[in-house]
Amino acid sequence: MNTPIRLAILGSGNGTNAQQISEYFAGRTDVEVACIIYNIRDAYIAVRAQNLGIESHYFNRADFYENGRVLDYLREKKADWIILAGFLWLVPEAILEAYPNRIINIHPALLPKYGGKGMYGHHVHEAVVAAGEHESGITIHIVDKHYDKGITLFQARCQVLPTDTPDDVAAKIHLLEKEHFPRVIDETIKHS
Ligand code: GAR
């Protein structure tokens, strides 16, 4: 039997996407979530990882950008792909070089709109509502060295009503993420 494709999930916050991806692949023999890595010490994603029975590890800024500990850990866990699921830092160059075209991100807007530094999570939905947009959505893309710029793999849209608050938009986006992100990961890693 072939060895399973191993995913490392990187997150910074609540971890709903990390949980959905982990549950989607649970019980599969061809793909497995090898670890969940997070960079905010008290992030709820760590609790979710524990509940899921998936090894998780906190790393600080120096571990990412200076001493190579994150890359060492990814290699130790034999991660084949990196999935950014609400991860809010730029991926260090050494990790990009070690995983060329093998890092996937989800962004909660229709890139190239509402992307770039500082555009994450709720800030995106606030900007969308403030601009009076009639639609928003998700973009799943390959990661390169710029924020939110790599090749787009998939987009899905939702309506934004004039009465929608940023929380309302966030709820619609989370539904799209749940529906599409695990599946797009599955298709991408199997066709590479
Ligand atoms: C998600 O909506 C994701 O699209 C977004 O952060 C949220 C994380 O939620 N990512 C970005 O804004 C990246 N620029 P989660 O921690 O519950 O998965």
Side-chain angles (χ1 to χ4, degrees):
M1 207 182 88
N2 291 336
T3 52
I5 300 170
R6 291 168 65 80
L7 310 180
I9 299 178
L10 272 60
S12 303
N14 189 348
T16 56
N17 280 282
Q19 179 167 349
Q20 284 155 192
I21 296 161
S22 303
E23 287 172 346
Y24 176 95
F25 288 110
R28 285 267 295 263
T29 52
D30 56 339
V31 182
E32 66 187 14
V33 176
C35 57
I36 293 177
I37 291 172
Y38 58 102
N39 61 344
I40 305 289
R41 203 177 265 288
D42 295 322
Y44 193 69
I45 193 171
V47 176
R48 291 185 194 269
Q50 195 171 16
N51 292 341
L52 288 158
I54 294 174
E55 183 175 321
S56 70
H57 204 301
Y58 163 79
F59 287 103
N60 66 23
R61 188 165 277 279
D63 299 331
F64 274 90
Y65 296 102
E66 288 162 32
N67 58 37
R69 284 203 187 112
V70 176
L71 190 50
D72 289 345
Y73 181 75
L74 288 164
R75 288 188 168 133
E76 182 193 313
K77 294 290 144 206
K78 297 188 169 39
D80 299 302
W81 285 81
I82 298 174
I83 310 299
L84 307 186
F87 181 71
L88 302 183
W89 291 351
L90 207 55
V91 176
E93 209 129 315
I95 296 181
L96 283 166
E97 279 166 18
Y99 288 86
N101 295 319
R102 281 180 172 254
I103 308 176
I104 301 173
N105 181 43
I106 188 157
H107 187 77
L110 295 169
L111 292 174
K113 287 174 115 179
Y114 303 103
K117 195 167 169 31
M119 270 295 163
Y120 59 87
H122 221 261
H123 298 289
V124 175
H125 310 311
E126 278 161 19
V128 165
V129 168
E133 295 282 357
H134 298 297
E135 65 170 11
S136 190
I138 58 169
T139 303
I140 299 169
H141 65 95
I142 295 290
V143 174
D144 65 15
K145 61 181 171 194
H146 306 286
Y147 275 109
D148 305 325
K149 283 274 199 294
I151 296 163
T152 296
L153 299 169
F154 178 83
Q155 287 190 312
R157 289 161 197 276
C158 61
Q159 218 185 358
V160 176
L161 302 173
T163 50
D164 277 350
T165 64
D167 279 345
D168 295 329
V169 179
K172 293 179 187 184
I173 294 296
H174 279 302
L175 284 178
L176 289 179
E177 293 180 334
K178 182 172 188 180
E179 185 182 351
H180 298 291
F181 196 23
R183 177 184 60 76
V184 172
I185 293 168
D186 199 2
E187 284 163 13
T188 305
I189 62 181
K190 284 201 306 212
H191 291 118
S192 71

